[in-house]
Amino acid sequence: MEFRKKFKNIMTAIAMLLLAALLICMQFGGISGVKLVMIVLSVWMIAYGIRLLHFYSQMARHMVGGKVILILGFILFDFGVFNFSLRNRHTLFIILYLLGFYAFKGFVDVMRALEQKHNEAPWKLKLSSGIVNIIVAVSAVAIGFFMRSEWAVVYIFALGIIYSAIMRIVNTFRKTPVMTIL
């Protein structure tokens, strides 16, 4: 991995750790962290959707499977706008929506890990990341329903963000095998 990409990954991980700290501190201040989580994820989905749409217009339309990038860009952009429009609604719906997105990400990580295992590639780190994401989502939904506690859900979500940041740092400095085709 080149230096610029490593630097970007480290800066993203630091931003994630700062966001998690801000979420935890906002709970002590009495301000709802659910709104901040919703706004951050909405902005991220909108920005990433626009990035994918731009990538499609520049390069992916000429690639095999480029239409998948177009569709994914539209879906992420639409989810981000929809999520942002829910900011004045009841927070339980927002929590369920966000944690459903988090659980889906964990499920995709588990499926990718199983595919990597089938292809005899390193897979254990991806599998553990996916399982932790699913556990975070399920525990937050369970606590949200049974305890009706928003602050506990925000703490669990902040712990999930911290774990994701640590995994990003680990993946940045992990040596990956390089194949050379002669």
Side-chain angles (χ1 to χ4, degrees):
M1 187 181 301
E2 66 182 38
F3 177 75
R4 190 179 297 162
K5 182 138 178 135
K6 283 184 181 182
F7 182 75
K8 181 182 169 190
N9 280 343
I10 295 297
M11 288 296 124
T12 304
I14 290 172
M16 290 169 70
L17 290 172
L18 290 175
L19 176 66
L22 180 66
L23 286 173
I24 291 171
C25 291
M26 285 182 72
Q27 291 302 111
F28 288 124
I31 302 170
S32 175
V34 175
K35 302 283 186 186
L36 179 66
V37 169
M38 183 208 50
I39 290 170
V40 167
L41 284 179
S42 297
V43 170
W44 176 82
M45 282 191 263
I46 290 170
Y48 194 63
I50 291 171
R51 180 176 170 231
L52 286 177
L53 291 173
H54 176 72
F55 177 67
Y56 174 79
S57 69
Q58 295 296 316
M59 183 179 290
R61 64 182 170 181
H62 305 293
M63 295 170 32
V64 174
K67 288 183 183 178
V68 173
I69 293 173
L70 175 69
I71 293 169
L72 186 61
F74 276 127
I75 289 173
L76 279 174
F77 182 78
D78 288 343
F79 276 157
V81 171
F82 175 70
N83 192 18
F84 197 72
S85 70
L86 290 177
R87 70 181 182 279
N88 293 327
R89 302 288 182 230
H90 194 270
T91 55
L92 183 62
F93 295 120
I94 297 168
I95 290 170
L96 289 175
Y97 176 72
L98 295 177
L99 293 175
F101 182 74
Y102 209 71
F104 181 73
K105 181 184 179 300
F107 179 72
V108 168
D109 283 348
V110 168
M111 296 307 289
R112 282 186 180 166
L114 294 176
E115 180 183 3
Q116 287 176 346
K117 181 181 179 184
H118 183 270
N119 293 332
E120 298 176 0
W123 57 276
K124 293 178 184 175
L125 201 58
K126 179 75 76 178
L127 181 69
S128 69
S129 175
I131 290 172
V132 167
N133 284 339
I134 292 171
I135 289 171
V136 165
V138 169
S139 63
V141 167
I143 287 174
F145 272 133
F146 297 124
M147 293 178 55
R148 302 268 185 208
S149 173
E150 287 183 18
W151 62 268
V153 172
V154 172
Y155 285 146
I156 290 172
F157 194 75
L159 289 175
I161 291 173
I162 290 170
Y163 179 77
S164 295
I166 290 170
M167 292 304 293
R168 182 179 287 268
I169 292 171
V170 167
N171 283 332
T172 299
F173 292 111
R174 188 175 64 154
K175 292 194 183 249
T176 55
V178 177
M179 289 181 122
T180 305
I181 300 173
L182 300 173

